[in-house]
Every structure is written in structure tokens, then in C-alpha cells.
Amino acid sequence: MALAQQDAAVVKEQARLAWVALTLTPGMGPTRIWKAMNRLGAAERVLEASLTELEGAGMPAQSAQFVFEGKAKAAAEDELKRVGEAGGSILTPEDEAYPERLREIYDPPSALWIRGEVSLLARPGIAVVGTRQPSPYGAGMAELLSRDLANRRMVILSGMARGVDTAAHKGAIEAGGKTVAVWGTGIDVIYPKENKKLAEQIVATGGTIVSEYPLGTFPAPQNFPIRNRILSGMSVGVLVIEAAEYSGTRITARCAMEQNRDVYAVPGNVTNKNAWGPNTLIKQGAKLTATWEDIWEDLPSQIRLALEDEQAAAGGGSESKPGGAASLFNDTPLPEHERIVFEKLRHDESMQLDELIEQLEAELGSAEIFTALFELELAGRVRQLPGKNYVRAF
């Protein structure tokens, strides 16, 4: 019995090595790799097959030669060793931890490079995507909705790009929840560089960084649209927050529809070019989303019930706004000078301090305005942007 188990373990390890070997073989993408594996019948046969068998499995001549000569196997052994030394891991379809939702899509990755908590990839999650240049409203909504959903044990998936992605990851971390970043680079190449601290926070708080690219892969533009199918594929739904007419976010939304995933969209101001994406998706049938309940009520019942049980066991989640449902509104009364200042500010457009003082000169002195802004910032109701610009916080 022990010998049989040992033999099974060796076969499984050989199969893993074969998947990684083909992933590192020039000219072999995920679709070709899966076809070759299916034709050969078993992954472990790849490294022992003849040149004729490899070409018969649909591999281009140069790719087959690379595998047959042992170069692919050597590259895979080296990559597995380097990833292990860097504290990462590689998942292949031979591993039980490989996400089941990814197996369902048309072209699942043949290998996933992982930093962080592997088990997180199997949990129910929402992919939050949007523009790299959001308005204060877009960034605020991304953070608010991610925080509220993470509070309810949902995993927040995004691409760790500037803008909406960054806000989504930060919202999940702030809630004490879990977040997964899907990269278009190797797991050792942080992009954008200013998100180095965020990447460390994601892993340190029990989150995960995922890529289908080997160590050392730099941010080539074509990698990012390709990785979007993983974002949507691992999720139960995709939430779009601000996206222009021609953007990578549209690719993610289209992938979600093709993969039979739910699509949600936060409506935007029609005068803002970044509202085109979500508003068009809503016209096409995406669910209009203003609060976490809009997504929560739409989840498959077995997922929602399982998350509610977890939440109850953990002592329940908290809302983004104390004492009530998370929303864009807060009903706690404000002192008169704070109320006057607060009512002049908006979520979707910042106001410069000089303009604010000018508009309120008939009602408040500048000292009262400064005091009101200071108190509103402390209370988390107002946020200061660069250049003494102010917006309502979420």
C-alpha cells in the first residue's frame, strides 16, 4: 500500500513537472497545451514521448523539439526550484488546490504562480475592475463596496493596477478581509512600482498574488488583457466601476459574459467619459449596483448561505457606516457650520478650497470653514485631495 502511494506521488509530481515544462515551452499557449495533454492521454507521458508523438499531439515542430531534447524539463525543474526558494509555489491542473472555477473557462491557465494563501483561490469572490484614472467618486465606490463585501467574507479580486484596482484591494484590507491580485507580470515583478507596499500588505494579511507568467516576466502590454480572463474566471461575478469606451475593463466584462459570470456595474455621471463603460453594461443587462446588498442578494443561494454561516461563526460583519446600512448617506446630525460646508461638497467632483470659501463667504468666515473641514475630515466624512481639493468621503 505504501509503495503504491509512493508510486502515485511520483506520477503526480511528473505530471506537475510536465505542465510547467509545456508552459515554459516557446510556441505553446494554454489552448495548445490542454489539447496536447488530452491527445497524449496523461500529462506524465509528455516528458517521455517521442518527437513524432509530440508533433502528433499538435505541437509546432520547434516546440516539440524543445520538449524532446529535455530543455523544457530542465527549464521546469529550474523554475520550480527558484519559485520555492522565493517562497512561492506553482499550481497546475494536477493539484487539488487548482481553482475549480478556472477549469470551467475556455482556456484555463496551464500553470499558476502563487505568492500567499493558496486556499483563497477556491473561495467565492467578486472581481472589482475599472479605470486607472478614476474620479473621486469611482475610487470611493470601489473602496466602499470592496470593504462591505469583504466584511461579509467575500474575496475581492482585482489586478492591482492604479486607480480602481488599488482602491478595491485597499478596501478589502481595511475591512480585515481577503484579497487576490492577479498580475500580468511574474510574481517577483511588482507593477506599478508604487504599489510595492500594497503587494506586501496583500500577502501579509493572508491574501494572494497570482500570475500565469514565469518569474522575471516584465509588464508587456499584451499580458494584461490576457490575464483578465483569470480575474473573471476565478470570480462568481465582476463589478465594473468607471471605464472608458475603449479599455481593458471591457475585455474583463466580455470575458465574464462568455464565462457565464454575473456582471454588476456602478452607474456613473453621463458627462464623465469613464461612465460610458458601466452605463452601457447596465443597458446590456448588467445589474445596477449602488450598495453591497445589490450583489449579495444576487449571489447563488448556496454561496450566500455558506458565507452567512461563516460570518455568524466569526461574530458577524460590520457596515462601512456605523449604526446603519452602508450607503452614500449618513444621517447623523452635523453642527450647523459643518452641515453648510458638507452640503457644498460632492462625491463625484472635488472643490478647491478657495472656491469653497468664495461660495460660502455670505454664510461663514474662513476660520469657520477651516474648522468645519478639519472636523469633517476627522469624522471621515470629507477627504482632502492634492492641491487643497475636497470631496465627500464614502
Side-chain angles (χ1 to χ4, degrees):
M1 185 70 177
L3 189 60
Q5 287 177 334
Q6 192 175 0
D7 288 345
V10 169
V11 169
K12 191 173 181 180
E13 194 53 42
Q14 282 295 104
R16 281 188 77 240
L17 190 62
W19 281 99
V20 177
L22 286 195
T23 304
L24 299 175
T25 298
M28 294 294 289
T31 307
R32 270 185 178 161
I33 292 171
W34 281 87
K35 282 181 180 174
M37 289 298 193
N38 289 334
R39 286 175 183 171
L40 287 166
E44 62 272 13
R45 287 199 57 224
V46 169
L47 303 177
E48 300 165 356
S50 67
L51 190 57
T52 307
E53 285 177 310
L54 293 171
E55 289 181 351
M59 290 189 200
Q62 284 183 313
S63 303
Q65 193 76 33
F66 189 82
V67 175
F68 179 70
E69 290 175 356
K71 293 177 181 176
K73 183 182 179 183
E77 288 171 338
D78 180 57
E79 184 73 9
L80 283 161
K81 182 185 174 189
R82 289 198 303 136
V83 170
E85 287 171 351
S89 58
I90 299 179
L91 277 186
T92 74
E94 300 296 321
D95 296 300
E96 289 177 14
Y98 188 93
E100 282 303 317
R101 289 186 190 89
L102 269 190
R103 293 183 196 271
E104 299 167 2
I105 72 174
Y106 169 68
D107 51 351
S110 50
L112 290 171
W113 276 252
I114 310 287
R115 268 183 66 202
E117 184 52 55
V118 173
S119 63
L120 213 56
L121 306 186
R123 291 187 54 76
I126 290 288
V128 181
V129 296
T131 179
R132 285 173 169 79
Q133 297 172 312
S135 67
Y137 167 78
M141 284 299 286
E143 197 166 325
L144 170 80
L145 292 169
S146 298
R147 193 163 65 229
D148 286 343
L149 290 167
N151 259 331
R152 283 155 188 85
R153 316 286 290 180
M154 287 211 79
V155 173
I156 302 300
L157 300 101
S158 201
M160 215 185 82
R162 298 180 181 96
V164 166
D165 291 20
T166 294
H169 291 305
K170 285 181 176 176
I173 291 169
E174 189 182 315
K178 304 299 181 191
T179 185
V180 172
V182 183
W183 288 6
T185 62
I187 58 171
D188 58 335
V189 180
I190 296 171
Y191 180 80
K193 287 182 179 176
E194 68 258 29
N195 274 349
K196 183 176 188 293
K197 185 179 177 184
L198 177 59
E200 290 167 355
Q201 279 183 314
I202 289 171
V203 176
T205 54
T208 316
I209 290 166
V210 182
S211 174
E212 66 176 322
Y213 297 106
L215 294 181
T217 302
F218 279 82
Q222 66 270 21
N223 292 359
F224 296 93
I226 294 169
R227 69 92 196 265
N228 289 348
R229 79 189 195 289
I230 301 177
L231 255 181
S232 54
M234 283 202 298
S235 69
V236 295
V238 172
L239 172 63
V240 177
I241 303 172
E242 292 194 338
E245 185 173 358
Y246 302 104
S247 69
T249 301
R250 286 180 67 208
I251 296 170
T252 312
R254 192 178 72 239
C255 288
M257 291 170 183
E258 289 170 357
Q259 295 163 355
N260 200 28
R261 302 294 189 258
D262 292 318
V263 179
Y264 306 91
V266 175
N269 182 335
V270 294
T271 63
N272 178 350
K273 65 181 174 63
N274 282 329
W276 190 94
N279 289 355
T280 301
L281 287 169
I282 290 167
K283 281 184 192 175
Q284 294 170 348
K287 181 159 185 180
L288 188 152
T289 304
T291 68
W292 64 272
E293 290 100 331
D294 294 321
I295 293 173
W296 192 258
E297 290 162 5
D298 209 47
L299 292 174
S301 55
Q302 72 273 20
I303 289 177
R304 191 173 67 250
L305 290 170
L307 290 170
E308 285 171 354
D309 287 346
E310 282 186 30
Q311 197 181 325
S318 59
E319 307 288 356
S320 272
K321 299 293 183 186
S327 73
L328 308 188
F329 311 103
N330 191 320
D331 298 327
T332 310
L334 290 170
E336 186 64 10
H337 67 298
E338 289 182 32
R339 182 190 64 77
I340 292 169
V341 171
F342 188 69
E343 286 179 357
K344 277 289 178 187
L345 299 175
R346 294 169 54 175
H347 288 103
D348 60 343
E349 191 176 330
S350 63
M351 183 176 282
Q352 214 278 332
L353 179 60
D354 291 341
E355 185 186 351
L356 185 63
I357 291 171
E358 187 179 325
Q359 289 195 20
L360 293 175
E361 64 182 350
E363 298 174 76
L364 297 174
S366 57
E368 289 177 296
I369 293 171
F370 293 144
T371 303
L373 287 170
F374 178 72
E375 294 296 338
L376 288 166
E377 269 196 272
L378 277 183
R381 289 174 181 258
V382 163
R383 195 154 58 97
Q384 183 181 166
L385 304 177
K388 295 288 183 185
N389 288 287
Y390 292 86
V391 290
R392 287 192 188 188
F394 285 81

